Amino acid sequence: MAASCTIGDFFVVYYSGHGTSVPDADKDEVDGLDEAFCLRSEKGDYEFLTDDDTASCISKNMPDNIPCMFIVDACHSGSILDLTKDSIWKGKKLFCISGCQDNQYSNDTGDGGQMTNIMLSVIRQSQHLRSTKQASIQYIFNRMVQKNE
């Protein structure tokens, strides 16, 4: 999907699900752990998509001039894209909003993650601002932080 983006596109990836930390196979993490998305195989078994694999896949396939936003509502997802590694992301326009830091757990509300529910609530409450272009990512993020306090 990232490779198919062209000038004028904005690539958005939203993940709300399970996240974990796994032993760092290539020894590039200070804490010895890679962050990972917990996915399910066709047989229902857990498969882990690590931060290294996610960053590599996106950075190799996404053109430099395409803005990309990741929104992640999962445990242990603070550095899920290894954004501090310039060797991976140099020249890319990318940012990530995560529901928690690498050493934290996300709250499951029984109807999705807490960050997802707060964000949806804020978006619903600010619908009237969209028609006048007064609702920005910053506006929504700031309201999410206020609701979570």
Side-chain angles (χ1 to χ4, degrees):
M1 289 175 29
S4 67
C5 291
T6 60
I7 299 289
D9 288 341
F10 195 103
F11 188 62
V12 178
V13 177
Y14 191 96
Y15 178 83
S16 181
H18 294 292
T20 192
S21 295
V22 297
D24 178 20
D26 62 0
K27 308 294 184 220
D28 66 338
E29 301 284 346
V30 174
D31 64 359
L33 298 170
D34 277 324
E35 285 59 56
F37 295 116
C38 300
L39 308 174
R40 293 284 186 168
S41 71
E42 290 180 15
K43 295 179 182 178
D45 299 324
Y46 271 119
E47 293 181 347
F48 302 110
L49 180 61
T50 66
D51 51 4
D52 293 340
D53 293 337
T54 303
S56 176
C57 178
I58 297 296
S59 67
K60 287 180 182 175
N61 290 293
M62 187 176 64
D64 285 346
N65 55 356
I66 303 299
C68 178
M69 176 173 62
F70 260 74
I71 302 172
V72 183
D73 189 3
C75 297
H76 310 290
S77 58
S79 66
I80 193 67
L81 296 177
D82 285 337
L83 292 178
T84 59
K85 296 180 180 173
D86 289 336
S87 60
I88 298 172
W89 296 111
K90 187 174 182 174
K92 304 292 184 190
K93 298 176 180 180
L94 179 81
F95 69 96
C96 180
I97 298 172
S98 178
C100 63
Q101 297 178 26
D102 290 347
N103 63 347
Q104 294 177 319
Y105 296 92
S106 292
N107 288 329
D108 185 350
T109 66
D111 187 28
Q114 181 176 356
M115 185 186 89
T116 299
N117 279 281
I118 289 172
M119 186 174 65
L120 290 172
S121 171
V122 168
I123 289 171
R124 277 187 221 105
Q125 292 172 5
S126 57
Q127 286 285 339
H128 66 284
L129 296 175
R130 291 180 64 208
S131 62
T132 58
K133 300 187 190 269
Q134 295 177 23
S136 64
I137 293 291
Q138 181 179 353
Y139 175 88
I140 291 171
F141 179 74
N142 288 343
R143 299 296 105 39
M144 288 170 62
V145 170
Q146 289 171 349
K147 277 187 155 275
N148 197 42
E149 291 177 341

